[in-house]
Amino acid sequence: MASIRRTLSPAFRDRPYLNGVGSPFSVQSPSPKLLSSSRYSPPFPSAILAFTVTIRRFIAGVIFHRPNRKGQQWRRVFYRCLLFFFLGFLLGLLPFGHVDDDEEIRGRSFNFDIKPSHVNVQFDNDNTDRVVKRREDLVVDVSLGVVESRGELVPRKQLIIVTPTYNRALQAYFLNRLGQLLRLVPPPLLWIVVENKAASFETAEILRKSSVMYRHLVCSNNLTSAKDRGVYQRNTALEHIERHTLDGIVYFADDDNIYSLDLFDRLRDISRFGTWPVAMLAQSKNKAILEGPVCNGTQVIGWHTNEKSKRLRRFHVDMSGFAFNSTILWDPKRWHRPTYVPIRQLDTVKEGFQETSFIEQVVEDERQMEGMPTGCSKVMNWHLHLQAHSPVYPKGWQLQKNLDIVLPIK
């Protein structure tokens, strides 16, 4: 039986078929000629195209697809909620509106940039000494304890102020006055106060109210037969500094002396040993004398002295007229010390020779000293020997009896 083959008419090419070929929504494959040609390249990678088609089908199925069964309705609701939640999350990440005010507030609250303080430079008359004064009104400058040097922030040297004290009539006045002065010195500063036998509650209360970082020590030595009780108290502080390897500039500041604030600013310029002239009253209390170095610039070339009994001293310096680096006490290799004997003040020497005997352990001669300020032409502290030997009030400060005329209170 003969078979008849029937060709497809070109008029029916737009008719849809069951297999989807030729439908308007189908993607036609490229012709073999284009595939075989080396110049052909698909407009998008196949992976991206397949991902796009999958996302499109998923969205169309979630939004426009009608479930055939009642059990599939909850899936449709779940997928819709998940889709809109994802879209809302992406929209929340996008920046909208004007946020300059918030950024300004955030910048003020969390700004850690350290700005250098204003520098006010003044020159002396001889144009040889330049004095630089810095404003310490910036909170970050004071709290961090740093200064600017050649564009870099350098931490300040710590000042270790040693003050021996004992019970007497004006002890509270002297300690309060010195504490208020140290409160004005920029940190870091450590105030070491040494008492005899036991730490008194009154002294501890004064130290707490001073708002200065302090350490309250007690000298356990028997000072009844001591020539100078301050020698043992200062040695107690030196032992504490050496034991705890405190780094800074050590200065012996008695509580009855008078100090200028400029002195503590210049102490941080000391590298090894610094000295300066001190004004004081003579033993007769009728004239003022000057004791300390004579300088050519910062080089010590001589000494001021006025008392014949002290002309045999090697260094004519008052106890409050010098300061030194604390590493000399516990780091002898750094300063090439010949012996490892602890540096202490001596009570066996004559009165007035404690200063020179101590300095001879720290430096060899004047070449290792630094005169302050330049030329040693400024007095920065005074030793006036103003002391009340009796704990009672002076005569005339108390009324032994009532006045002759008493006015009644109406």
Side-chain angles (χ1 to χ4, degrees):
M1 184 175 179
S3 61
I4 301 173
R5 180 175 297 178
R6 191 174 179 178
T7 60
L8 184 62
S9 175
F12 301 96
R13 290 180 182 239
D14 296 335
R15 183 182 299 175
Y17 291 88
L18 296 178
N19 56 359
V21 177
S23 63
F25 301 100
S26 63
V27 179
Q28 297 181 0
S29 61
S31 61
K33 293 182 180 181
L34 294 176
L35 293 176
S36 61
S37 176
S38 59
R39 297 181 180 179
Y40 172 77
S41 59
F44 300 99
S46 59
I48 298 178
L49 185 61
F51 178 76
T52 304
V53 173
T54 304
I55 295 299
R56 186 181 64 182
R57 290 179 179 178
F58 174 76
I59 296 175
V62 170
I63 299 177
F64 302 105
H65 178 69
R66 294 183 179 180
N68 298 329
R69 301 177 182 178
K70 295 181 179 180
Q72 296 180 353
Q73 187 175 3
W74 66 272
R75 293 185 179 180
R76 179 183 179 184
V77 175
F78 173 76
Y79 286 125
R80 283 185 178 181
C81 293
L82 182 63
L83 175 63
F84 288 115
F85 173 78
F86 182 73
L87 294 177
F89 178 76
L90 294 180
L91 292 176
L93 296 179
L94 298 178
F96 293 100
H98 188 71
V99 294
D100 291 344
D101 297 338
D102 296 340
E103 292 179 356
E104 183 179 359
I105 296 175
R106 189 183 300 110
R108 291 181 181 178
S109 303
F110 302 95
N111 187 14
F112 292 95
D113 296 335
I114 301 176
K115 298 181 180 180
S117 59
H118 175 71
V119 179
N120 183 17
V121 182
Q122 298 179 355
F123 296 92
D124 291 345
N125 295 330
D126 54 356
N127 295 328
T128 58
D129 180 19
R130 192 178 78 170
V131 181
V132 179
K133 296 183 179 180
R134 300 183 179 275
R135 292 175 52 191
E136 303 297 339
D137 51 352
L138 293 180
V139 177
V140 65
D141 192 19
V142 175
S143 61
L144 297 180
V146 295
V147 293
E148 182 191 7
S149 177
R150 297 180 180 179
E152 298 180 357
L153 295 177
V154 181
R156 293 194 190 97
K157 291 183 180 180
Q158 180 177 229
L159 299 182
I160 306 175
I161 310 301
V162 177
T163 301
T165 185
Y166 61 97
N167 297 332
R168 60 194 189 278
L170 300 179
Q171 180 187 12
Y173 166 73
F174 289 146
L175 286 177
N176 277 294
R177 184 181 64 178
L178 182 57
Q180 293 298 323
L181 174 64
L182 298 180
R183 187 177 182 179
L184 302 177
V185 180
L189 183 143
L190 176 62
W191 190 16
I192 300 179
V193 179
V194 187
E195 280 196 291
N196 296 330
K197 297 181 181 179
S200 63
F201 173 78
E202 292 78 9
T203 302
E205 188 69 15
I206 293 175
L207 297 179
R208 280 194 295 267
K209 292 181 179 180
S210 64
S211 301
V212 179
M213 184 174 61
Y214 70 92
R215 295 189 182 182
H216 195 181
L217 306 181
V218 176
C219 180
S220 58
N221 298 76
N222 187 9
L223 305 180
T224 55
S225 60
K227 298 179 182 179
D228 186 2
R229 64 171 62 91
V231 172
Y232 294 97
Q233 291 175 301
R234 296 185 190 97
N235 287 339
T236 301
L238 294 176
E239 292 174 2
H240 181 82
I241 296 172
E242 183 178 357
R243 185 186 309 114
H244 297 280
T245 62
L246 301 179
D247 191 5
I249 304 298
V250 181
Y251 178 51
F252 299 124
D254 293 342
D255 54 2
D256 58 343
N257 291 351
I258 300 176
Y259 308 92
S260 65
L261 191 60
D262 184 45
L263 171 62
F264 298 93
D265 294 336
R266 295 180 182 271
L267 289 180
R268 291 191 167 97
D269 298 333
I270 297 175
S271 60
R272 176 169 182 165
F273 184 92
T275 181
W276 54 91
V278 178
M280 61 183 64
L281 287 178
Q283 296 295 334
S284 59
K285 301 292 190 302
N286 57 0
K287 65 176 181 178
I289 60 176
L290 191 65
E291 190 172 54
V294 178
C295 304
N296 181 14
T298 58
Q299 182 182 3
V300 179
I301 59 175
W303 302 95
H304 293 285
T305 180
N306 291 297
E307 299 194 18
K308 298 179 181 180
S309 60
K310 298 181 180 180
R311 289 183 179 179
L312 298 177
R313 291 191 303 173
R314 176 65 179 85
F315 304 109
H316 299 268
V317 186
D318 186 73
M319 188 64 69
S320 61
F322 66 91
F324 60 95
N325 198 313
S326 64
T327 56
I328 299 177
L329 301 175
W330 48 266
D331 192 4
K333 293 183 179 180
R334 175 181 176 182
W335 305 102
H336 306 285
R337 284 177 51 198
T339 60
Y340 291 87
V341 179
I343 299 177
R344 299 292 183 269
Q345 293 189 4
L346 304 178
D347 187 43
T348 56
V349 298
K350 297 180 180 180
E351 183 181 358
F353 285 80
Q354 287 87 359
E355 296 87 350
T356 182
S357 62
F358 177 79
I359 297 175
E360 290 174 2
Q361 305 175 58
V362 180
V363 296
E364 297 179 358
D365 51 23
E366 287 81 358
R367 292 177 298 178
Q368 298 178 348
M369 296 182 178
E370 307 166 31
M372 300 169 46
T374 303
C376 298
S377 57
K378 185 178 181 181
V379 176
M380 296 182 291
N381 65 304
W382 296 262
H383 194 178
L384 302 180
H385 302 284
L386 299 178
Q387 188 60 258
H389 300 284
S390 177
V392 299
Y393 287 99
K395 184 179 179 180
W397 284 30
Q398 297 187 29
L399 296 177
Q400 302 296 335
K401 59 180 181 179
N402 294 332
L403 297 178
D404 297 335
I405 301 177
V406 178
L407 297 177
I409 300 177
K410 294 182 181 181

